[in-house]
């Protein structure tokens, strides 16, 4: 009888725990400038990320085993729900297609809503400050003619961080978020990310027949024309960069890609 009683007791405890699980809805605030979220929690003041499974068919992402998966985020025993539409409380969700810590203290996470819209789902930062959860929206209004094409959600830049919809850059490890300077103030960058400098401070986007080069910490930019036939694809543009361009530092120590004149006289000191 003892094993049976133990099993019943364990089931009752688990049921009680699941029943006591709570959730809280958060309305995101807007990121308006560079912010740091690298807070260090005390004791249990950290976030938890769990991978969940659902066979009900509610989500459009499907793994090979046919079970739909998403992530949930908790603070202590409370599920974090984000109200996607500020005017509609029913838009709150705790299901995320992407969730990853962006600082070593695990008090800050980058998340992307799991939905079936077919568009790049909204992206947020969930952070713990002074034992309280805050949610920050990584969204800026844009009327760009090709926004659908260039709103790609989360683009990983090596191990350093993420470009979000050509509008934000979020660093990993130290959890800083930057607004990326736009070519047109009313439009997110209308181009494809191509490459970054070795110090991961200058991002290069192919915009039309030019490379839009942005040093994100200062907002300084440089435009490098690209031959029209080369700019027809990312692959040909990348090859052209490898064969014709060089990273050059300006007087401020900022690196920009610049096309080199093949007929110029090269000072051997450049290579020392």
């Amino acid at each position: 009888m003892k094993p049976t009683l133990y099993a019943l007791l364990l089931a009752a405890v688990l049921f009680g725990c699941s029943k006591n699980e709570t959730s809280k809805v958060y309305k995101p605030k807007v990121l308006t400038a560079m912010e740091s979220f690298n807070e260090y929690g005390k004791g249990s003041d950290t976030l938890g990320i769990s991978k969940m499974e659902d066979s009900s068919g509610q989500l459009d992402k499907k793994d090979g085993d046919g079970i739909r998966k998403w992530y949930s985020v908790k603070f202590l025993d409370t599920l974090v729900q984000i109200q996607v539409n500020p005017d509609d409380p029913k838009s709150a969700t705790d299901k995320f297609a992407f969730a990853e810590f962006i600082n070593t203290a695990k008090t800050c996470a980058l998340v992307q809503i799991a939905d079936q819209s077919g568009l790049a789902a909204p992206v947020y930062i969930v952070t713990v400050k002074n034992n309280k959860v805050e949610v920050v929206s990584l969204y800026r209004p844009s009327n760009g003619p090709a926004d659908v094409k260039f709103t790609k959600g989360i683009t990983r830049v090596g191990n350093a961080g993420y470009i979000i919809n050509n509008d934000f850059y979020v660093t990993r490890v130290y959890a800083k978020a930057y607004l990326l300077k736009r070519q047109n103030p009313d439009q997110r960058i209308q181009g494809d990310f191509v490459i970054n400098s070795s110090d991961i401070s200058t991002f290069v986007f192919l915009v039309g027949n030019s490379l839009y080069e942005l040093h994100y910490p200062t907002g300084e930019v440089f435009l490098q024309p690209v031959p029209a036939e080369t700019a027809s694809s990312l692959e040909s543009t990348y090859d052209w960069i490898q064969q014709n361009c060089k990273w050059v530092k300006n007087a401020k120590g900022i690196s920009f890609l610049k096309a080199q004149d093949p007929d110029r006289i090269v000072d051997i000191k450049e290579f020392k």
Side-chain angles (χ1 to χ4, degrees), residues 206 209-213 222-228 231 240 245 257 259:
L206 176 62
N209 292 339
S210 296
L211 297 178
Y212 175 66
E213 304 183 30
F222 176 76
L223 281 179
Q224 171 62 56
V226 177
W240 180 83
C245 295
L257 266 180

Side-chain angles (χ1 to χ4, degrees), residues 39-49 73-78 80 101 103-109 126-129 131-133:
E39 300 288 328
Y40 286 85
K42 298 178 181 179
S44 59
D45 295 354
T46 59
L47 296 171
I49 296 176
V73 176
K74 279 186 178 181
F75 177 59
L76 303 178
D77 292 326
T78 302
V80 174
F101 291 116
N103 70 342
T104 54
K106 296 186 177 180
T107 58
C108 189
V126 180
T127 185
V128 179
K129 289 188 175 182
N131 200 38
K132 293 182 179 179
V133 172

Side-chain angles (χ1 to χ4, degrees), residues 169-220:
Y169 178 61
V170 177
T171 66
R172 302 178 74 221
V173 182
Y174 298 111
K176 289 185 179 180
Y178 297 81
L179 300 174
L180 296 183
K181 184 176 181 179
R182 296 171 163 184
Q183 276 186 292
N184 182 324
D186 297 324
Q187 302 174 4
R188 63 179 51 99
I189 298 170
Q190 301 288 290
D192 289 302
F193 173 72
V194 182
I195 196 173
N196 54 266
S197 58
S198 59
D199 62 3
I200 318 175
S201 293
T202 301
F203 298 143
V204 179
F205 298 85
L206 176 62
V207 181
N209 292 339
S210 296
L211 297 178
Y212 175 66
E213 304 183 30
L214 167 64
H215 184 255
Y216 76 84
T218 63
E220 190 164 334

